[in-house]
Amino acid sequence: MSASPESQHRILRVAVPSPLRRLFDYRLPDSFETPQPGTRIRVPFGSRELTGIVVDVSVSSDVSSDKIKDVLDVLDEEALLPPHLLSLWLWAAQYYQHPIGEALHTILPAGLRNKGVATIKRRKSDLRDGQDQPDQPLSLNTMQQQAVNAIVAEPQRFNCFLLDGVTGSGKTEVYLQAIQQTLDRGRQVLVLVPEISLTPQTVSRFRQRFKVPIAIMHSGLTPRQRLNAWLESAQGSARITIGTRSAIFTPLADPGLIVIDEEHDNSLKQQDGFRYSARDLGVMRARRESIPIVLGSATPSLESLLNARSGRYRHLRLTERAGSATMPHYMLIDTQRQPPAPDGLTQELLSCLQDHLRRGNQALIFINRRGFAPVLQCQDCGWTAECRDCDARLTLHRHPPHLRCHHCDRREPVHSHCPGCQGKALTTTGVGTERCEVALQQHFPDIPVLRVDRDATRRKDDLDKLLAKVATGEPCILVGTQMLAKGHHFPNVTLVGILDADSGLFSADFRGPEFMAQLLTQVSGRAGRAEQPGQVMIQTRHSSHQHLRTLVTEGYHALAGALLEERQLSDMPPFSYMAVLRAEAINASAPARFLNDARQMIEQMHQSPSGAAGRLKIQLNGPLPAPMERKANRFRQQLTLRSHSRQHLQSVLTHLCNELEQHPGQRRVRWSIDVDPQDMI
Ligand code: ADP
Ligand code: ZN
Ligand code: ZN
């Protein structure tokens, strides 16, 4: 019996949200028209009913016809994803070794992951035009003008620009004017910013500049708001889409430009599940859409700097601050020679603070640690408060009083006496933001001290309220964590004090020195951004450390150059490609056993001449305990893979994944693969 030509095209290959790294075949009943790839359908899956995405339409299936199940429903009239994006996201799922159905599930806004209908339901305020008093474009300085000209010169060609501009150099103005020209040509713009900088200030800056509808996407939206923003972008009613990492997946009807601000920022890499880099996918996407992309930063990642050096990216530099501002002046305070008080502050920093505040300025003190003190210890027997579930100490918090693990969030009441010896001699060591806040308030009783960290900004508008106080321009001291480092413009801050620069110098992560340099430069960049010159004081026990010296005397780019040389010598990214296979379990030995098996699989691939690994080399390191071996009551191990060939690494990972999925040991651990890992801890 021969099938009619029409009925031949009735097998759908479908991405279904399941941990299996494959597509599933379904038969399309005659009552449905053949859907385009990128359309959602309902399918039976085991005992459940799930929403999948059509990836391909086929005439035949390898599954025998009595086993193949029928599609239950077709949810969309048109494909939700245009073909070029569907194929890019399929590629991305493969590249990051993530199950395809789960990856596509991540990509869709929550409102479409189930049966939700892809239509815009709007509440009044969701999509607003620009306000009445538009803000005027600034007249650009020469470097800014050259940058804008370069970005808009070839609007219909892929080009990746690294906009490498010192803090306060006016990168935002460059984005805004390149965006304006893109809008004028009838195209849409996608802007990615770190979560923390997607403040109402940023949004209002865009709304004031552009008289076009803007879609905002961040984690605080309801599913409905997010879906609206997604659809408005996809249908072209929103002309600018601003969002955090996951906004990179938003389809645009008329794409014209992608801007990724703070391209070095870790928040662009998803750290669990589908571990994609929004920056790298952004570059891939711009290439497929034949449009320019701008990666902006004052502290570009070593990856991007190398790409700029090699000519893959075009390097646009803004080496001076915009307007009349100048770069801040750096000073190291050697805390071996000049020990700080128990509150972490040296005399020198205090008297400098005094000076700046007396002149009516504001100051910022940076500590990368929340809470009151990181150590609670018994002076008699040496007992310290440790987390029951992690290889970590508990941090003492005072508001309200409790002990907390910053790794698993476990909370405990504060002990009244030592659980080891029943003594009363419990003392704290080290300084967190809370303690520094208390100390500064005692030193400067008449000056407001504003703490900015995750604890102090829990509620939605806490941060805005704090920033509004700073914006009054009255003297104040800001104390906070890296939340203060990103993107803020505090014109009256003239002094930045860094309480302890040392943790980054000796990190277990090979990117530790790079992160340290970025963080210190970004924090320091908050000083002296307007007329008054800024000063940066860095307290350190290692004032002669070469990295630190290079950073303060020659600046970020000099240190980045030195770090690139080190990476090249040690054959680390970006001079090689890396992936980490991680495993964790409650059982202490299961992760290492699993990873040892994985290591053997890879070694066997290398031995068989026809095998995936061929004769090319893969450097294996491990299995080794993760820098923090036990976290949230799970033991964690990792196996690192490195290669000079990205393709080769890819094919090894793909084979490895297939084998591991069949491996009996995989049920005893939680395992994951992280391609181009950012965080090794
Ligand atoms: P960046 O993002 O590079 O750190 P911003 O874009 O925040 O810097 O700009 C820093 C400050 O300089 C802002 O107050 C901005 O308004 C101002 N600025 C930017 N470009 C110019 C210009 N061409 N002339 C005068 N001021 C400018
Ligand atoms: Zn004790
Ligand atoms: Zn813990």
Side-chain angles (χ1 to χ4, degrees):
M1 193 183 89
S2 70
S4 71
E6 174 54 28
S7 69
Q8 281 184 348
H9 295 267
R10 304 297 276 190
I11 300 291
L12 303 184
R13 315 213 63 213
V14 185
V16 179
S18 106
L20 296 173
R21 287 172 169 74
R22 45 169 285 220
L23 299 172
F24 295 87
D25 289 358
Y26 288 91
R27 184 181 324 136
L28 189 70
D30 287 341
S31 50
F32 294 105
E33 281 185 34
T34 310
Q36 295 295 313
T39 304
R40 291 174 309 150
I41 57 173
R42 293 290 285 177
V43 293
F45 193 79
S47 56
R48 289 176 300 164
E49 194 186 305
L50 294 175
T51 296
I53 293 186
V54 179
V55 167
D56 212 350
V57 182
S58 171
V59 285
S60 62
S61 171
D62 295 339
V63 183
S64 68
S65 64
D66 54 321
K67 290 232 175 81
I68 199 160
K69 292 185 183 155
D70 275 1
V71 171
L72 302 173
D73 200 1
V74 175
L75 296 178
D76 305 309
E77 284 179 16
E78 282 172 45
L80 283 182
L81 298 168
H84 74 281
L85 286 187
L86 178 63
S87 86
L88 180 56
W89 308 145
L90 294 174
W91 173 87
Q94 174 68 46
Y95 180 79
Y96 292 107
Q97 302 294 337
H98 198 66
I100 207 155
E102 281 186 359
L104 288 184
H105 207 63
T106 311
I107 282 163
L108 287 184
L112 294 179
R113 285 178 200 162
N114 222 300
K115 288 193 213 173
V117 183
T119 49
I120 299 171
K121 282 204 198 97
R122 187 172 307 142
R123 278 180 296 174
K124 247 189 213 148
S125 62
D126 282 357
L127 192 67
R128 260 181 300 160
D129 283 350
Q131 260 112 34
D132 285 341
Q133 304 147 307
D135 138 292
Q136 293 301 317
L138 299 171
S139 76
L140 299 177
N141 64 35
T142 315
M143 289 184 288
Q144 286 174 312
Q145 188 64 59
Q146 283 169 349
V148 173
N149 292 350
I151 294 164
V152 301
E154 295 177 291
Q156 298 185 35
R157 264 186 71 174
F158 165 72
N159 258 312
C160 182
F161 298 93
L162 178 61
L163 181 62
D164 177 353
V166 297
T167 53
S169 58
K171 293 183 289 296
T172 312
E173 192 61 33
V174 171
Y175 304 147
L176 294 177
Q177 299 204 15
I179 290 169
Q180 183 65 62
Q181 298 204 31
T182 310
L183 297 174
D184 291 347
R185 290 182 23 255
R187 298 298 192 99
Q188 288 169 281
V189 181
L190 177 62
V191 183
L192 255 53
V193 296
E195 179 79 45
I196 207 77
S197 9
L198 196 54
T199 57
Q201 284 97 318
T202 316
V203 174
S204 72
R205 203 164 167 195
F206 274 83
R207 289 208 199 280
Q208 277 166 24
R209 180 65 66 91
F210 301 112
K211 304 228 44 148
V212 299
I214 298 176
I216 312 288
M217 300 182 116
H218 59 79
S219 61
L221 298 184
T222 64
R224 184 73 242 180
Q225 288 171 322
R226 203 178 175 84
L227 176 57
N228 278 355
W230 201 85
L231 293 170
E232 284 152 3
S233 308
Q235 294 163 10
S237 48
R239 303 312 292 173
I240 302 176
T241 303
I242 312 177
T244 49
R245 177 176 64 221
S246 62
I248 197 61
F249 299 118
T250 315
L252 301 181
D254 324 297
L257 175 68
I258 300 176
V259 173
I260 300 190
D261 191 24
E262 310 289 359
E263 68 84 32
H264 66 280
D265 199 273
N266 246 346
S267 72
L268 288 166
K269 179 86 161 54
Q270 169 103 4
Q271 307 281 14
D272 54 18
F274 181 25
R275 292 170 171 77
Y276 63 92
S277 155
R279 176 192 62 207
D280 296 351
L281 288 184
V283 175
M284 295 294 289
R285 177 173 175 172
R287 187 188 296 280
R288 298 216 181 183
E289 297 189 322
S290 291
I291 57 171
I293 176 169
V294 182
L295 310 180
S297 177
T299 53
S301 61
L302 298 188
E303 277 76 8
S304 295
L305 280 175
L306 187 66
N307 280 324
R309 275 191 192 177
S310 72
R312 289 187 61 208
Y313 295 175
R314 293 193 36 204
H315 205 171
L316 305 173
R317 293 200 67 176
L318 309 176
T319 52
E320 281 165 20
R321 284 190 158 175
S324 53
T326 51
M327 290 306 283
H329 177 261
Y330 284 88
M331 209 180 112
L332 292 179
I333 301 177
D334 181 343
T335 52
Q336 305 235 40
R337 269 195 237 135
Q338 203 191 134
D343 60 21
L345 299 156
T346 54
Q347 259 318 313
E348 200 172 351
L349 181 55
L350 276 174
S351 60
C352 197
L353 259 170
Q354 179 93 47
D355 278 359
H356 282 257
L357 295 167
R358 201 184 285 140
R359 279 186 265 137
N361 297 337
Q362 299 174 334
L364 185 162
I365 303 294
F366 170 77
I367 325 177
N368 214 6
R369 194 185 279 136
R370 290 177 292 137
F372 188 81
V375 185
L376 179 68
Q377 191 167 31
C378 172
Q379 289 204 304
D380 293 335
C381 73
W383 170 91
T384 52
E386 283 172 6
C387 179
R388 203 187 60 186
D389 294 334
C390 305
D391 294 332
R393 286 174 172 149
L394 294 172
T395 299
L396 178 68
H397 284 249
R398 282 272 173 94
H399 299 290
H402 67 285
L403 290 164
R404 192 192 315 167
C405 175
H406 284 184
H407 305 281
C408 70
D409 215 34
R410 180 184 171 74
R411 283 153 209 244
E412 286 182 16
V414 183
H415 308 74
S416 57
H417 51 264
C418 169
C421 69
Q422 313 302 319
K424 293 265 181 199
L426 292 179
T427 54
T428 57
T429 351
V431 182
T433 45
E434 282 185 13
R435 184 177 203 167
C436 191
E437 177 192 14
V438 173
L440 285 166
Q441 199 63 84
Q442 281 166 359
H443 287 293
F444 303 100
D446 305 327
I447 303 277
V449 177
L450 312 172
R451 178 160 60 92
V452 179
D453 59 23
R454 242 195 292 157
D455 298 318
T457 57
R458 245 169 232 296
R459 272 164 305 156
K460 205 170 165 236
D461 51 353
D462 285 340
L463 181 61
D464 301 322
K465 283 188 187 147
L466 284 165
L467 295 178
K469 280 190 196 150
V470 187
T472 62
E474 292 298 309
C476 69
I477 306 174
L478 281 154
V479 180
T481 58
Q482 54 180 330
M483 282 184 89
L484 285 174
K486 293 181 188 172
H488 302 290
H489 187 64
F490 303 128
N492 286 7
V493 168
T494 52
L495 174 67
V496 165
I498 292 167
L499 227 58
D500 174 13
D502 298 344
S503 55
L505 294 177
F506 305 101
S507 164
D509 190 332
F510 76 94
R511 292 185 209 271
E514 179 187 354
F515 291 158
M516 183 260 325
Q518 289 164 342
L519 188 56
L520 293 193
T521 309
Q522 295 284 349
V523 176
S524 306
R526 301 314 114 201
R529 290 168 66 92
E531 293 76 37
Q532 307 204 55
Q535 187 174 12
V536 179
M537 302 190 87
I538 302 177
Q539 298 190 161
T540 172
R541 290 174 58 79
H542 304 277
S543 59
S544 55
H545 193 287
Q546 195 52 51
H547 287 157
L548 205 49
R549 293 219 80 86
T550 307
L551 183 67
V552 300
T553 55
E554 298 173 66
Y556 178 79
H557 285 77
L559 179 55
L563 294 176
L564 271 172
E565 263 172 52
E566 288 178 11
R567 297 270 189 94
Q568 184 158 29
L569 285 173
S570 57
D571 217 11
M572 296 299 271
F575 296 93
S576 61
Y577 301 103
M578 187 185 264
V580 184
L581 179 61
R582 298 194 178 93
E584 55 174 60
I586 293 173
N587 177 314
S589 57
R593 256 183 311 184
F594 177 77
L595 293 184
N596 265 317
D597 290 351
R599 187 182 171 118
Q600 278 181 11
M601 290 174 193
I602 300 168
E603 282 166 350
Q604 270 162 17
M605 284 180 221
H606 280 82
Q607 276 155 15
S608 83
S610 60
R615 251 164 268 104
L616 274 162
K617 266 241 174 278
I618 287 258
Q619 293 284 338
L620 295 174
N621 192 15
L624 287 169
M628 181 186 293
E629 183 176 2
R630 205 166 62 101
K631 186 173 164 185
N633 198 25
R634 288 171 174 276
F635 290 88
R636 311 180 312 146
Q637 294 265 333
Q638 55 194 36
L639 173 66
T640 309
L641 294 77
R642 262 185 301 139
S643 172
H644 285 278
S645 157
R646 191 169 243 161
Q647 240 184 331
H648 178 59
L649 182 61
Q650 278 297 310
S651 81
V652 169
L653 290 175
T654 303
H655 280 75
L656 183 64
C657 269
N658 285 340
E659 289 197 37
L660 289 178
E661 274 184 351
Q662 325 281 325
H663 187 60
Q666 76 131 352
R667 290 173 194 284
R668 287 191 279 275
V669 297
R670 260 194 225 158
W671 63 278
S672 64
I673 287 188
D674 192 351
V675 179
D676 304 331
Q678 282 298 302
D679 183 354
M680 303 293 290
I681 310 259

